Amino acid sequence: MPKIVDHDERRAHIVEAVTQIIIRDGFDRVTMREIAAEAGYAHGAIARYFPDKQALLTAAFLQVFNSSHDRTLQEIEGVRGLDALRRMSRVLLPYSDVGINKSRIVLSFWDRAAQDQGLWEIHHENIMRRRQFIRRFLTEAMEDGELAAHVNIEVAVEEVSARNAGWQMLAVLVPEAATNAKLDASLDALIRSFRAPIPESL
Amino acid sequence: MPKIVDHDERRAHIVEAVTQIIIRDGFDRVTMREIAAEAGYAHGAIARYFPDKQALLTAAFLQVFNSSHDRTLQEIEGVRGLDALRRMSRVLLPYSDVGINKSRIVLSFWDRAAQDQGLWEIHHENIMRRRQFIRRFLTEAMEDGELAAHVNIEVAVEEVSARNAGWQMLAVLVPEAATNAKLDASLDALIRSFRAPIPESL
């Protein structure tokens, strides 16, 4: 009886190996040989699933992105408005070591996406999906009366995007600025800047 | 009489050529041959000034960083507090095409700095210099009574850093989010979030 190969599992295993190498050595040093050694597969087994380095970087990036997306969906279930925005931000901000490692993948992807149309489009589509969430939560906050009157939702969407992106860089390159306590304080400041003041009559 | 060579000028000319290639093709495609062609020098003339690609990327990054630093110094002369913070942010945010091109250099540098201790330290030192400015302006704003009571200066320093960094990514990878008008609106929102409310009695 032929051995049954679970291709999805193999793909996932290879992506995990690539992720580890990018975190450890950087994307420039990723080679098919090194991936094969890390994954414990023959060289040919890697090429069967991923034709080139770019396909591997894309897979690593999508793995990071999709796992954040899935965790966001779990976290916001039954929650809306600024509370949902806070929960999503807690998933996306680079808390603890896991977040820092993810940020390394993200930084590698940004640089390549700046030069490659295919990667650019994958990144762009993902960012648009994420912005749609931010916009929805801010709109809910407005509907529920928790958004301060001066907040412009479209401006706020860019603000949240820019901050989330910037923290990825800080986590990797200025780690003392991106401790869990500082991320908490920054998130509090952000939500505060959006929240309507509590009326004094209450 | 031997020809007098202005070495500083040659270095600057080579850095400018490298900058153009990174913007156009990405750092991965920078070769000594291409730089020589772009600069109009012989191959050996490049190697005399910059031993390797990393030295060239560092020079391009420092050129971007130092020109921003010099412009910041000009802009803040005789100005303090939130006005100085606004002027500095206007220099650093990726306004118009010039800013987007600078952001491409910055994105390339971040990725390499994540993997190389020497580049990491250069970046870290520059970021620290910039944060020192932000801290100074916020402290002046506090002294002058223009800072809102709830603003924690150390948290605000990270907030401004994260935002400035994030906009570099958006300028390159989500350009429709980083129009001049959106940058203006975001900067207004930031300054507003720091500013003490105007007393009603005035």
Side-chain angles (χ1 to χ4, degrees):
Chain A
M1 217 171 84
K3 196 171 150 197
I4 294 163
V5 174
D6 183 333
H7 292 293
D8 286 346
E9 198 180 288
R10 279 208 163 180
R11 281 182 66 94
H13 186 63
I14 294 167
V15 171
E16 182 54 31
V18 171
T19 302
Q20 291 308 317
I21 299 168
I22 296 174
I23 291 166
R24 197 174 60 222
D25 304 322
F27 182 66
D28 280 347
R29 301 224 189 105
V30 171
T31 62
M32 288 293 185
R33 182 192 298 269
E34 204 185 346
I35 297 159
E38 180 89 21
Y41 293 154
H43 183 293
I46 312 296
R48 181 174 168 180
Y49 294 96
F50 299 98
D52 55 28
K53 277 183 67 173
Q54 183 171 309
L56 285 160
L57 178 61
T58 302
F61 174 76
L62 286 177
Q63 205 270 326
V64 165
F65 190 92
N66 290 334
S67 87
S68 296
H69 190 75
D70 293 345
R71 274 190 55 213
T72 300
L73 288 177
Q74 278 171 31
E75 286 290 328
I76 63 163
E77 211 186 316
V79 180
R80 53 186 270 136
L82 295 182
D83 188 15
L85 181 63
R86 178 189 290 276
R87 283 160 179 259
M88 180 193 193
S89 298
R90 281 199 63 98
V91 171
L92 300 182
L93 291 175
Y95 280 94
S96 78
D97 284 354
V98 177
I100 292 163
N101 287 342
K102 283 186 181 179
S103 297
R104 284 183 181 255
I105 309 283
V106 169
L107 253 57
S108 277
F109 196 83
W110 284 348
D111 182 38
R112 271 75 190 185
Q115 308 302 337
D116 180 281
Q117 189 63 24
L119 300 185
W120 196 94
E121 279 164 18
I122 287 168
H123 180 267
H124 195 267
E125 195 180 308
N126 284 333
I127 291 288
M128 287 298 136
R129 252 162 92 193
R130 207 165 261 179
R131 285 151 63 94
Q132 202 46 49
F133 268 128
I134 304 170
R135 187 175 289 115
R136 179 179 124 196
F137 301 147
L138 290 168
T139 305
E140 289 168 353
M142 188 186 64
E143 289 164 2
D144 299 351
E146 58 173 354
L147 202 69
H150 63 76
V151 175
N152 175 307
I153 288 178
E154 288 309 308
V155 173
V157 168
E158 318 296 4
E159 289 275 289
V160 175
S161 295
R163 283 176 73 270
N164 284 349
W167 282 109
Q168 309 296 319
M169 183 282 269
L170 290 175
V172 177
L173 298 178
V174 195
E176 71 272 37
T179 61
N180 287 358
K182 290 196 176 187
L183 289 170
D184 276 339
S186 166
L187 187 49
D188 285 346
L190 179 79
I191 300 291
R192 182 192 180 110
S193 76
F194 292 150
R195 198 182 288 284
I198 296 159
E200 290 194 19
S201 58
L202 289 182
Chain B
M1 219 172 83
K3 196 171 151 199
I4 294 164
V5 174
D6 183 333
H7 292 293
D8 286 346
E9 198 180 286
R10 280 208 161 180
R11 280 183 67 93
H13 186 63
I14 293 167
V15 171
E16 182 54 31
V18 171
T19 303
Q20 290 308 318
I21 299 169
I22 295 174
I23 291 166
R24 197 174 60 222
D25 304 322
F27 182 66
D28 279 347
R29 301 224 190 106
V30 171
T31 62
M32 288 293 185
R33 181 192 299 268
E34 203 185 347
I35 297 157
E38 180 89 20
Y41 293 155
H43 182 294
I46 312 296
R48 181 175 169 180
Y49 294 95
F50 299 98
D52 54 29
K53 278 184 68 174
Q54 183 172 310
L56 285 159
L57 178 62
T58 302
F61 174 76
L62 285 176
Q63 206 270 323
V64 165
F65 192 92
N66 290 334
S67 87
S68 296
H69 190 75
D70 292 346
R71 275 190 54 213
T72 300
L73 288 177
Q74 278 170 32
E75 286 291 328
I76 64 162
E77 211 186 316
V79 181
R80 53 185 270 135
L82 295 181
D83 189 14
L85 181 62
R86 178 190 290 277
R87 284 160 178 258
M88 181 193 193
S89 298
R90 281 200 62 98
V91 171
L92 299 183
L93 291 175
Y95 280 95
S96 78
D97 284 354
V98 176
I100 292 164
N101 287 341
K102 282 185 181 180
S103 296
R104 286 183 180 252
I105 310 282
V106 169
L107 253 56
S108 277
F109 196 83
W110 285 348
D111 183 37
R112 271 74 190 184
Q115 309 301 337
D116 181 281
Q117 188 63 25
L119 300 185
W120 196 93
E121 279 165 19
I122 288 168
H123 179 267
H124 195 267
E125 196 180 307
N126 284 334
I127 290 288
M128 287 298 136
R129 252 162 92 193
R130 207 164 261 179
R131 285 151 63 94
Q132 202 46 51
F133 268 128
I134 302 170
R135 188 176 289 115
R136 180 179 122 195
F137 302 146
L138 289 168
T139 305
E140 289 169 354
M142 187 186 64
E143 290 164 1
D144 299 351
E146 56 173 356
L147 202 68
H150 63 76
V151 176
N152 175 307
I153 288 179
E154 288 310 307
V155 172
V157 168
E158 318 296 3
E159 290 274 289
V160 176
S161 294
R163 283 175 74 271
N164 284 348
W167 282 108
Q168 310 296 319
M169 183 282 268
L170 290 175
V172 177
L173 298 178
V174 195
E176 71 272 38
T179 61
N180 287 357
K182 291 196 175 186
L183 289 170
D184 276 339
S186 165
L187 188 48
D188 284 348
L190 179 79
I191 301 290
R192 181 191 181 112
S193 75
F194 291 148
R195 197 182 289 284
I198 297 160
E200 288 194 22
S201 58
L202 288 184

